[in-house]
Amino acid sequence: FSLVLPKYEGTNQIVELINNSNESINTSNDKISIIFVTVSNIVEAENIANILVKDKLAACVNIIPSIISIYEWKGNIESSNEVILKIKTKSELVSELTSKIKSIHSYDVPEILSIETSNGNQDYIDWVKSNTK
């Protein structure tokens, strides 16, 4: 990408962003994110999933049961059976979705990790965007 500044033309100075490869420029409105969240059990997973979909913060939530997490917490090595949520949403909703999850999650420090993408099945990406606020 390069930034081209035209000559000063009074108050009508224009700044253009040009993509040197002539490909379209994706903005956050064009991208979706996949958010991974661990929870303590299937009941909590279903509760969070239902709230996120109902509130249009997520188009879809996959619930992946029965994982084992090993981690350090307060100086001790812990092992827990957990459930993973794989959440699909618009990238612009990640902050609001994160706040919502933190407000209803049972953990003091919930794992909420987001990966942004604009690649994949465009029909699915469009479906995610049309099924979120």
Side-chain angles (χ1 to χ4, degrees), residues 78-95:
E78 303 285 342
S79 177
S80 298
N81 291 316
E82 293 185 298
V83 176
I84 295 178
L85 301 177
K86 186 177 81 168
I87 303 163
K88 279 76 71 178
T89 191
K90 291 178 191 170
S91 293
E92 65 194 59
L93 293 175
V94 170
S95 179

Side-chain angles (χ1 to χ4, degrees), residues 21-111:
S21 66
N22 294 323
E23 295 175 7
S24 63
I25 300 171
N26 285 321
T27 65
S28 64
N29 290 340
D30 295 330
K31 295 182 180 178
I32 65 168
S33 290
I34 302 166
I35 298 92
F36 295 93
V37 178
T38 53
V39 297
S40 61
N41 58 57
I42 199 78
V43 172
E44 182 175 23
E46 290 177 355
N47 181 52
I48 290 173
N50 279 305
I51 289 169
L52 296 178
V53 172
K54 179 179 156 269
D55 290 352
K56 297 280 193 193
L57 291 172
C60 177
V61 180
N62 302 117
I63 298 173
I64 305 166
S66 193
I67 63 161
I68 298 171
S69 296
I70 299 172
Y71 53 95
E72 183 174 334
W73 183 249
K74 298 183 179 179
N76 297 312
I77 301 299
E78 303 285 342
S79 177
S80 298
N81 291 316
E82 293 185 298
V83 176
I84 295 178
L85 301 177
K86 186 177 81 168
I87 303 163
K88 279 76 71 178
T89 191
K90 291 178 191 170
S91 293
E92 65 194 59
L93 293 175
V94 170
S95 179
E96 185 179 351
L97 182 140
T98 299
S99 294
K100 184 66 169 184
I101 292 170
K102 288 172 74 173
S103 76
I104 58 178
H105 202 289
S106 66
Y107 293 171
D108 293 336
V109 182
E111 175 186 348

Side-chain angles (χ1 to χ4, degrees), residues 107-118:
Y107 293 171
D108 293 336
V109 182
E111 175 186 348
I112 305 170
L113 301 173
S114 173
I115 300 169
E116 186 173 76
T117 185
S118 59

